[in-house]
Amino acid sequence: MKKIFFLFFTVTVMHAHVKDTLPFPSPTAFQSFKFTMDDCDSCGCSASGGSMGFGSLLNANYLGMRYLYQFYRTNDGLYSNSPWYDEQYNTLQVWSRLPLGKKIQVSVLVPYHFHQRQTNTGSQSMQGLGDITLLGNYRIYQNLKKDSLTVQHTFIVGGGVKMPTGVFDQANNGSVNPGYQLGTGSWDAIFLTDYTLRYRQFGVNAVMNYTNKSENSKGYRFGNQFNYAGTLYYIWNKDKMTLAPQLGVSGEVYAHNYQHGQKLKETNGSVLFSKIGFEAGIGKWSLGANVMLPLHQNLMAGNVNARSRIGINLNYAL
């Protein structure tokens, strides 16, 4: 499976013939908004698209579609030879980012999920609207220097809310992965920071965010979540085409889930991913793709195993 994902990524890069709508010298070309929450993580379905990023590398403002795929394996841990079962999370997402003044931007993410999993009684599937996310950011600092030898810095803070528009099925709480949901059923608050350093064609982006998850109407609360990521990127221009390859890491840390105020054992954990991807553009259109593979993980006492993630997006600059 990993070889298939890597082959897909390689072929896509080789056939990318699209261009950035912003000229390379613009210091605002990397308005990253790449915060790192999971779309349907192993400890709760946040439905926000995060480890795949919240925005486009090439377009400051856009309207687009994105496909997200995540693959997990789960084990009930009752016996040493207990079987492993597959869980596959598929999401189609409408996403957009719009300016509100010179220093403020807002993002809207509307996901629709198609999930499947195997159990000891057969296969199960669910589909439907996920949790809609609204985000806003404020640019605290940015040095706009035309001198190409100047190191450019951008520092952003922000936050938002995830609304309980996706269905939360209480019957899934007892499964090995209670995150097999369309939504958390709760109002969750998001806090974030984003820092970018750029010199000529090279850049480094570092992000952190924290999600505070509340108790839903069924008395269940998914654990709070801390995320961090670092990405190295390069802007390459050729005639009317711009290509921006990326390489980095992304980490996620989950606290315990609670039910009716009681902490649930073996519902916390952490995972560290490697990440490789690209964005390319021509005119007002841009295409992006990335692949994430785990480097180290300990999810739910080892009973949940993250295997791979893929993201593909097509955007139109506004």
Side-chain angles (χ1 to χ4, degrees):
M1 182 66 70
K2 293 181 181 179
K3 293 181 179 179
I4 294 174
F5 292 162
F6 180 78
L7 178 61
F8 170 83
F9 168 78
T10 304
V11 172
T12 308
V13 171
M14 293 174 62
H15 289 80
H17 295 287
V18 285
K19 178 185 178 296
D20 183 10
T21 59
L22 298 175
F24 157 66
S26 170
T28 61
F30 194 87
Q31 298 280 349
S32 67
F33 234 81
K34 292 188 178 297
F35 316 126
T36 55
M37 287 179 306
D38 218 20
D39 180 71
C40 267
D41 59 63
S42 61
C43 296
C45 181
S46 65
S48 56
S51 284
M52 298 300 189
F54 278 121
S56 169
L57 176 65
L58 300 183
N59 305 127
N61 304 294
Y62 60 88
L63 173 66
M65 291 287 297
R66 179 164 64 165
Y67 168 72
L68 305 174
Y69 171 82
Q70 299 181 78
F71 177 40
Y72 292 94
R73 302 205 75 200
T74 61
N75 184 309
D76 59 23
L78 296 178
Y79 307 100
S80 59
N81 61 345
S82 293
W84 287 86
Y85 297 104
D86 293 347
E87 291 188 354
Q88 300 184 68
Y89 297 78
N90 298 273
T91 300
L92 286 176
Q93 188 180 78
V94 177
W95 65 341
S96 181
R97 188 168 67 199
L98 300 170
L100 290 181
K102 294 182 179 180
K103 294 186 176 182
I104 299 175
Q105 290 176 313
V106 295
S107 288
V108 182
L109 301 97
V110 182
Y112 193 89
H113 299 303
F114 304 82
H115 301 333
Q116 302 89 32
R117 69 174 176 180
Q118 299 293 322
T119 70
N120 57 1
T121 58
S123 61
Q124 298 177 354
S125 63
M126 65 167 64
Q127 67 179 60
L129 179 68
D131 289 345
I132 297 174
T133 299
L134 299 176
L135 296 170
N137 75 321
Y138 180 79
R139 190 175 70 245
I140 293 180
Y141 175 77
Q142 184 177 55
N143 61 331
L144 301 176
K145 301 293 184 179
K146 295 183 179 180
D147 182 4
S148 63
L149 297 179
T150 301
V151 177
Q152 299 171 357
H153 306 270
T154 302
F155 183 59
I156 293 170
V157 297
V161 62
K162 184 185 66 61
M163 300 177 287
T165 52
V167 174
F168 173 82
D169 186 353
Q170 192 172 13
N172 287 327
N173 291 353
S175 63
V176 176
N177 186 358
Y180 183 76
Q181 302 281 354
L182 296 177
T184 62
S186 61
W187 289 86
D188 301 335
I190 305 163
F191 307 94
L192 53 94
T193 63
D194 185 317
Y195 172 72
T196 299
L197 181 150
R198 179 169 170 176
Y199 178 71
R200 294 189 175 182
Q201 290 97 337
F202 289 94
V204 177
N205 177 241
V207 297
M208 293 187 297
N209 72 68
Y210 184 80
T211 305
N212 186 75
K213 302 177 184 180
S214 64
E215 183 175 282
N216 62 29
S217 61
K218 306 296 185 180
Y220 197 91
R221 180 169 73 84
F222 288 98
N224 294 340
Q225 188 172 330
F226 172 70
N227 308 272
Y228 58 93
T231 303
L232 174 68
Y233 67 94
Y234 179 85
I235 303 293
W236 179 78
N237 290 283
K238 180 66 174 179
D239 298 327
K240 295 184 178 181
M241 185 181 78
T242 296
L243 180 65
Q246 310 166 42
L247 182 66
V249 294
S250 176
E252 304 161 0
V253 181
Y254 313 111
H256 285 89
N257 298 350
Y258 284 78
Q259 189 165 25
H260 301 298
Q262 299 297 314
K263 180 189 293 187
L264 300 177
K265 296 181 179 180
E266 299 183 355
T267 56
N268 63 325
S270 63
V271 58
L272 177 66
F273 287 94
S274 62
K275 181 177 180 179
I276 184 171
F278 79 96
E279 279 199 70
I282 184 170
K284 290 192 172 184
W285 293 95
S286 66
L287 173 70
N290 61 65
V291 176
M292 299 174 64
L293 298 173
L295 297 172
H296 181 269
Q297 61 182 301
N298 183 20
L299 297 171
M300 298 187 179
N303 294 327
V304 174
N305 191 336
R307 302 304 294 269
S308 58
R309 299 177 184 175
I310 290 178
I312 304 171
N313 64 270
L314 179 65
N315 294 338
Y316 182 80
L318 300 177

